[in-house]
Amino acid sequence: MSTPTFIFSLLLLLPLLFVSLASAANGSWQLLQKSIGISAMHMQLLRNDRVIMFDRTDFGPSNLKLPGGKCRNDPADTALKVDCTAHSVEYDVLANKFRALTVQTDVWCSSGSVMPDGNLVQTGGFNDGERRVRVFSPCRTCDWTEIPNGLAAKRWYASNHLLPDGRQIVVGGRGQFNYEFIPKIPVANTINLPFLSETNDKGIENNLYPFVFLNVDGNLFIFANNRAILLDYVNNKVVKTYPTIPGGEPRSYPSTGSAVLLPLKNLKASAIQAEVLVCGGAPKGAYLQSLKGVFMKALDTCARITITDPNPKWVMETMPLARVMGDMILLPNGNVLLINGAGSGSAGWEQGRNPVLSPVLYRPNNVIGSRFETQNPTTIPRMYHSTATLLRDGRVLVGGSNPHAFYNFTGVLFPTELSLQAFSPAYLDAKFKNLRPTIVAPKSMSGIRYRKKYTFQVTIPGGKVDGNSISVTMFRPAFNTHSFSMNQRLLVLGNDKVTALGNSVYNIDATTPRSGNLAPAGFYLLFVVHQDIPSQGIWVKLS
Ligand SMILES: *[C@@H]1O[C@H](CO)[C@@H](O)[C@H](O)[C@H]1NC(C)=O
Ligand SMILES: *[C@@H]1O[C@H](CO)[C@@H](O)[C@H](O)[C@H]1NC(C)=O
């Protein structure tokens, strides 16, 4: 190659180099699988770094055959009585591989929680699946087991939450203005919750998949439509009624916004504060308009409230992008990622338009007005029935999108999406390698207890480490579907002491949360965060 040609080639390369660096600064996207054969409508990360996904059984044949020539014989199925394809998979994050799982009955628009033992207990669905309870124990060859009539009532579009006593609560669902517990003790029973009928907009609903969070006082914060209550579920008493979000626009399915319990901090304080952030949704009328082919702009506001305040008030903020059907994912460093969804229309078949391709980062600790930052866009629309979940390595796994009743890959505006992608937030950039902690010991912990001090040994390659900017966090992996991550919470343990041992090795002492109200028992991902840059997580079991 002559010198001028060489220089010319270099010049050609420069923009490429620049693009990849620039794209890393606001996060980057990676296609993991072009097709896993099913559309990931529901997702849950389990303690073996595998993600359980499922869609529904009555979509017709999926693109993934059941192994060994197996077929499902289901006379009650509305699409196929004999179906030799899978509607659930287990995705192995570390190997980037997947295998087919077998659901026997319809799991469409259902809900679930991982129990303290690490087993996923899923509840409900549609048709023959509406009262099923299904259990998945994580192991290399395990499959679903199903419990007929495991639920007292049919549950479709309900929300679940794990409780401090180790049971899970199942709240609402279509036509169900009540809740129940799993396991049911001593018998299946439903308990009325008038709040769910009060928030039900006739003919539209706007109160399904309610946003349910366990408050630090052990009561449940339940948000539906445009308002919330604090429920003492033990005595079935509403102990607080929160104001309506200013403007009164609906935020729950099908006017689907999203919500998170913001990271819980200062865990040793006698009174711990808890805040909830609700973002996006569709304005009043959007659902009915979208059925007529008119797609109203999604909501571009978030509402934030301190749910532990004696006199709580919503504080409004404006997002850079309007979003309906978005997901809100807590990141290990305490920031929130808004991802997936549409810029107009509503949840429902073919009812969303203008895919929002760019995620947005929200920094809860910044001053109002400087919290949002738009991230680099994907090329794949993730509309109705898309999902997102945080992985142990800090990436966010994204899948699904199927705004029609079948596996339609052509002839529709937004084809059924079988791919999996990962979004890598900017904290994963190579340029932060000197700041990034690596947890060297322990590699995992099976028996951490409440209110106990533990030592985590990390390496941080960069020269001077500021002990004030090191924090230990614990993340509870969530059951994600329909823009809501059930059980998602992040506990900021901070640090009690940082000891430099030389050679870039540090011991970090941190104290676990004091009770199951703060952190229900079970598996968490524990991270060490240094100057906003998280380590990879380790699995810990809190009991
Ligand atoms: C990241 O995005 C922000 C806008 O949200 C922009 O101001 C900034 O220049 C971007 N950074 C890079 C390196 O692309
Ligand atoms: C979608 O798939 C279903 C079932 O195969 C079929 O009946 C329907 O016509 C398809 N829709 C379009 C728009 O292709």
Side-chain angles (χ1 to χ4, degrees):
M1 201 188 283
S2 70
T3 307
T5 321
F6 175 71
I7 288 175
F8 182 68
S9 314
L10 258 186
L11 284 176
L12 275 181
L13 272 173
L14 269 178
L16 280 177
L17 215 61
F18 179 74
V19 165
S20 69
L21 285 178
S23 63
N26 283 325
S28 59
W29 286 90
Q30 184 190 4
L31 182 67
L32 299 174
Q33 290 288 340
K34 265 182 101 146
S35 169
I36 55 165
I38 71 156
S39 190
M41 190 193 292
H42 314 74
M43 264 193 198
Q44 171 77 57
L45 172 69
L46 298 180
R47 62 172 198 261
N48 56 356
D49 289 312
R50 290 161 190 235
V51 182
I52 302 304
M53 305 173 185
F54 48 95
D55 53 14
R56 57 184 277 198
T57 60
D58 54 353
F59 264 176
S62 76
N63 280 18
L64 181 66
K65 285 211 163 55
L66 285 171
K70 269 195 298 182
C71 296
R72 192 174 61 92
N73 291 287
D74 184 358
D77 196 275
T78 53
L80 291 172
K81 310 291 174 209
V82 180
D83 185 355
C84 306
T85 66
H87 298 282
S88 177
V89 303
E90 179 198 66
Y91 173 69
D92 178 341
V93 177
L94 304 179
N96 189 23
K97 287 192 174 133
F98 57 93
R99 67 180 176 100
L101 301 176
T102 320
V103 279
Q104 299 296 341
T105 50
D106 203 357
V107 281
W108 178 25
C109 297
S110 60
S111 48
S113 285
V114 172
M115 303 302 266
D117 61 4
N119 290 346
L120 170 58
V121 174
Q122 178 276 0
T123 56
F126 179 65
N127 190 24
D128 59 352
E130 65 194 13
R131 285 188 60 201
R132 289 269 160 144
V133 170
R134 304 174 186 81
V135 182
F136 186 90
S137 301
C139 86
R140 277 168 200 283
T141 54
C142 291
D143 209 332
W144 289 102
T145 55
E146 303 207 3
I147 306 167
N149 301 324
L151 285 166
K154 56 185 188 181
R155 300 284 171 189
W156 199 30
Y157 302 86
S159 290
N160 298 22
H161 207 292
L162 186 68
L163 300 171
D165 65 8
R167 290 180 299 166
Q168 59 171 309
I169 189 168
V170 191
V171 181
R174 182 160 276 174
Q176 298 294 345
F177 308 123
N178 56 53
Y179 57 92
E180 65 179 288
F181 300 96
I182 301 287
K184 43 191 194 205
I185 304 171
V187 287
N189 217 347
T190 64
I191 300 139
N192 286 337
L193 186 58
F195 172 71
L196 292 176
S197 51
E198 290 156 13
T199 51
N200 180 45
D201 288 342
K202 291 260 148 32
I204 303 168
E205 297 172 316
N206 282 337
N207 69 338
L208 297 180
Y209 281 120
F211 305 139
V212 178
F213 298 109
L214 176 65
N215 190 13
V216 296
D217 63 2
N219 292 314
L220 285 177
F221 176 88
I222 302 178
F223 179 99
N225 197 329
N226 55 15
R227 56 193 187 273
I229 53 166
L230 192 62
L231 177 72
D232 168 356
Y233 60 85
V234 178
N235 299 304
N236 189 26
K237 244 180 88 177
V238 174
V239 292
K240 196 183 280 192
T241 299
Y242 295 91
T244 299
I245 290 183
E249 304 289 7
R251 312 272 178 170
S252 305
Y253 180 93
S255 298
T256 306
S258 190
V260 284
L261 177 69
L262 288 174
L264 297 173
K265 307 178 290 193
N266 304 321
L267 301 183
K268 289 178 184 164
S270 55
I272 298 169
Q273 284 201 344
E275 288 182 274
V276 166
L277 179 69
V278 179
C279 289
K284 280 182 192 136
Y287 175 78
L288 293 177
Q289 286 297 314
S290 69
L291 292 175
K292 298 181 199 151
V294 178
F295 303 96
M296 291 169 73
K297 187 187 169 203
L299 300 178
D300 65 358
T301 53
C302 295
R304 180 166 163 172
I305 195 167
T306 303
I307 64 173
T308 43
D309 242 16
N311 182 23
K313 285 195 178 65
W314 294 100
V315 176
M316 303 304 288
E317 296 179 60
T318 304
M319 299 187 281
L321 300 166
R323 201 182 294 257
V324 59
M325 297 181 280
D327 278 289
M328 293 171 75
I329 305 297
L330 291 168
L331 299 178
N333 63 2
N335 291 335
V336 181
L337 189 71
L338 290 93
I339 195 165
N340 297 344
S344 60
S346 160
W349 303 131
E350 322 288 348
Q351 282 166 260
R353 292 293 184 277
N354 304 321
V356 184
L357 301 174
S358 296
V360 166
L361 198 63
Y362 178 85
R363 294 187 167 84
N365 298 333
N366 279 14
V367 294
I368 211 162
S370 66
R371 289 178 178 157
F372 294 103
E373 193 181 1
T374 304
Q375 305 292 291
N376 287 316
T378 176
T379 53
I380 304 176
R382 299 288 178 179
M383 309 292 281
Y384 188 38
H385 292 151
S386 60
T387 44
T389 195
L390 179 70
L391 300 176
R392 187 166 64 82
D393 59 20
R395 291 178 300 164
V396 174
L397 180 68
V398 170
S401 188
N402 197 0
H404 17 262
F406 299 98
Y407 291 94
N408 294 91
F409 304 103
T410 53
V412 280
L413 199 49
F414 298 105
T416 300
E417 194 46 67
L418 307 181
S419 68
L420 289 182
Q421 287 171 290
F423 177 73
S424 296
Y427 57 55
L428 290 170
D429 288 4
K431 71 172 183 220
F432 296 122
K433 75 173 197 295
N434 282 338
L435 295 177
R436 181 168 298 119
T438 302
I439 303 178
V440 290
K443 290 294 181 197
S444 67
M445 290 177 98
S446 58
I448 67 169
R449 312 245 309 275
Y450 289 98
R451 205 197 285 260
K452 284 263 181 296
K453 193 182 285 188
Y454 294 94
T455 302
F456 303 93
Q457 191 163 94
V458 301
T459 57
I460 303 174
K464 201 162 169 287
V465 163
D466 173 8
N468 294 325
S469 58
I470 292 182
S471 183
V472 174
T473 62
M474 279 172 61
F475 173 81
R476 179 98 191 183
F479 183 97
N480 175 275
T481 191
H482 289 76
S483 303
F484 185 48
S485 288
M486 303 170 196
N487 293 303
Q488 185 175 229
R489 66 209 281 123
L490 187 83
L491 298 125
V492 180
L493 312 188
N495 80 63
D496 296 343
K497 196 169 77 183
V498 176
T499 315
L501 303 176
N503 289 329
S504 310
V505 181
Y506 302 85
N507 275 351
I508 321 289
D509 293 351
T511 304
T512 51
R514 62 179 174 236
S515 77
N517 288 350
L518 295 178
F523 287 86
Y524 288 79
L525 283 171
L526 183 140
F527 298 90
V528 174
V529 182
H530 174 228
Q531 291 187 26
D532 257 4
I533 308 298
S535 65
Q536 293 215 351
I538 58 169
W539 286 106
V540 299
K541 187 185 185 193
L542 179 64
S543 50

